[in-house]
């Protein structure tokens, strides 16, 4: 080929894929305790907690790393707990840029027993106007080097309610595309910026519309309405009921044929990460949904949020039923 076009072969270079940017506005130092059975009002003896950097965006970045996708993490960090998060991310080899803040990074506590997980989430530090301005500057730089951006999790105090709307608009300005995974006012306001994909869970979508969503037809209708509000594609996750995705190309429902026991805390984040991976590889929607549902299943059986069990993911891939609806 080089000879045909007068270009020396040794000067030909392959452009490396652009990383997926995972944004975590409210990271946390996650502490996970394991007990045989959680009993309300009782005292529980526990071993050493598993302590690591967390938050929805961090969980997404960790799963993308396990899926062999190029990824970078952008967030805030402050105080001793912020320092612990920074050290943990560095030890895990996750490329990160954490904007320094005056107040301390929050903590979350998860108590996991054989049946389920109970999670306690602190609100988070208050972000000053100057800290938010520094974050926006860092975001513009990172977005320019990214093809897909995942914006997930809660918005800490001090950050404007239209934060995600601002970030999506800034990303679109430099040609990057965005996945939004949040709830409440931040989700509603983000839709005005036309995110490329919105991924609420069924409870978040129900809260947004002020009505229960029972069954696949009602979940599908909610996804249609989210598209009407501005999202280009919508995926609504509903636990063991599966995930409904509606795009301009059609609508699908993906569901595992059997239920897996474990810690469901990070399953939604794993689903979001796999969706980003599939979009970054230009997969068709049914294939992307199959991979994403299997990845979420693999997160349930993993020990902690931000991890997937690869053997379970491989087994579950053949266990997913994809139905056009």
């Amino acid at each position: 080929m080089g000879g045909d076009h007068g270009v020396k072969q040794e000067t030909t270079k392959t452009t490396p894929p652009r990383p997926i940017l995972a944004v975590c506005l409210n990271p946390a130092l996650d502490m996970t305790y394991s007990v045989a059975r959680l009993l309300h009002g009782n005292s529980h003896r526990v071993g050493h907690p598993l302590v690591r950097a967390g938050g929805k965006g961090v969980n997404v970045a960790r799963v993308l790393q396990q899926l062999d996708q190029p990824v970078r993490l952008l967030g805030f960090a402050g105080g001793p707990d912020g320092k612990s998060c920074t050290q943990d991310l560095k030890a895990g080899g996750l490329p990160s840029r954490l904007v320094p803040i005056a107040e301390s990074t929050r903590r979350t506590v998860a108590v996991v027993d054989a049946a389920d997980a109970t999670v306690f989430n602190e609100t988070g530090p208050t972000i000053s106007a100057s800290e938010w301005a520094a974050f926006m500057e860092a975001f513009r730089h990172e977005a320019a080097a990214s093809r897909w951006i995942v914006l997930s999790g809660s918005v800490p105090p001090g950050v404007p309610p239209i934060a995600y709307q601002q970030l999506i608009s800034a990303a679109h300005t430099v040609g990057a595309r965005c996945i939004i995974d949040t709830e409440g006012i931040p989700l509603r306001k983000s839709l005005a910026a036309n995110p490329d994909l919105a991924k609420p869970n069924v409870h978040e979508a129900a809260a947004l519309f002020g009505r229960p969503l029972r069954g696949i037809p009602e979940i599908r209708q909610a996804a249609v309405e989210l598209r009407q509000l501005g999202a280009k594609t919508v995926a609504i996750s509903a636990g063991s009921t599966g995930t409904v995705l509606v795009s301009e190309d059609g609508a699908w429902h993906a569901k595992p044929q059997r239920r897996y026991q474990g810690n469901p805390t990070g399953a939604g984040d794993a689903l979001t990460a796999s969706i980003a991976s599939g979009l970054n590889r230009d997969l068709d929607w049914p294939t992307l949904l199959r991979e994403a549902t299997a990845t979420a299943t693999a997160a349930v059986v993993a020990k902690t949020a931000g991890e997937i069990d690869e053997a379970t993911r491989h087994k579950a891939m053949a266990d997913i039923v994809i139905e056009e609806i």
Side-chain angles (χ1 to χ4, degrees), residues 10 23 47 51 74 82 120 141 207 224 235 274 283 292 325:
E10 56 267 28
V23 173
V51 182
L74 177 64
F120 302 87
H141 175 79
V224 169
S274 188
L283 298 184
I325 55 176

Side-chain angles (χ1 to χ4, degrees), residues 66-89:
Q66 292 169 77
L67 295 175
D68 295 323
Q69 285 291 299
V71 60
R72 285 184 59 81
L73 173 70
L74 177 64
F76 290 109
D81 289 341
K83 184 177 181 180
S84 295
C85 287
T86 301
Q87 291 172 340
D88 180 61
L89 294 169

Side-chain angles (χ1 to χ4, degrees), residues 179 196-200 216 219-224 226-227 232-238 241-255 271-272 274-276 278-279 283-290 292-293 322-325:
I179 300 167
D196 299 273
L197 188 142
K199 197 226 70 70
I216 300 305
I219 296 173
R220 183 189 185 281
Q221 179 58 31
V224 169
L226 281 166
R227 290 194 71 233
K232 296 176 184 176
T233 298
V234 176
I236 300 179
S237 57
T241 302
T243 299
V244 170
L245 185 144
V246 178
S247 77
E248 65 178 0
D249 302 315
W252 295 267
H253 172 221
K255 181 183 178 181
L271 184 80
T272 301
S274 188
I275 288 173
L279 289 168
L283 298 184
D284 61 79
W285 291 121
T287 303
L288 179 149
L289 262 181
R290 181 178 300 280
T293 307
I322 307 291
E323 179 184 18
E324 192 163 5
I325 55 176

Side-chain angles (χ1 to χ4, degrees), residues 260-271:
Y260 292 78
Q261 294 294 325
N263 178 8
T265 307
D269 301 329
L271 184 80

Side-chain angles (χ1 to χ4, degrees), residues 183-216:
E183 60 182 320
I185 292 174
L187 172 60
R188 180 175 289 279
K189 290 188 177 296
S190 76
L191 299 173
N194 306 121
D196 299 273
L197 188 142
K199 197 226 70 70
N201 64 38
V202 67
H203 306 295
E204 293 161 348
L208 188 72
F209 292 115
R211 66 177 191 265
L213 301 177
R214 304 186 185 95
I216 300 305

Side-chain angles (χ1 to χ4, degrees), residues 32-54:
T32 303
Y33 294 91
S34 296
V35 298
R37 185 183 178 194
L38 180 62
L39 299 172
H40 180 73
N42 282 30
S43 176
H44 299 76
R45 187 175 297 279
V46 298
H48 291 292
L50 177 62
V51 182
R52 65 191 319 212

Side-chain angles (χ1 to χ4, degrees), residues 250-316:
W252 295 267
H253 172 221
K255 181 183 178 181
Q257 293 187 71
R258 65 189 185 96
R259 191 166 185 169
Y260 292 78
Q261 294 294 325
N263 178 8
T265 307
D269 301 329
L271 184 80
T272 301
S274 188
I275 288 173
S277 170
L279 289 168
N280 206 38
R281 292 178 290 134
D282 298 315
L283 298 184
D284 61 79
W285 291 121
T287 303
L288 179 149
L289 262 181
R290 181 178 300 280
E291 283 195 6
T293 307
T295 305
T297 299
V300 170
V301 303
K303 292 182 179 179
T304 187
E307 292 184 357
I308 57 173
D309 183 88
E310 188 55 45
T312 301
R313 182 175 183 266
H314 180 74
K315 183 179 8 175

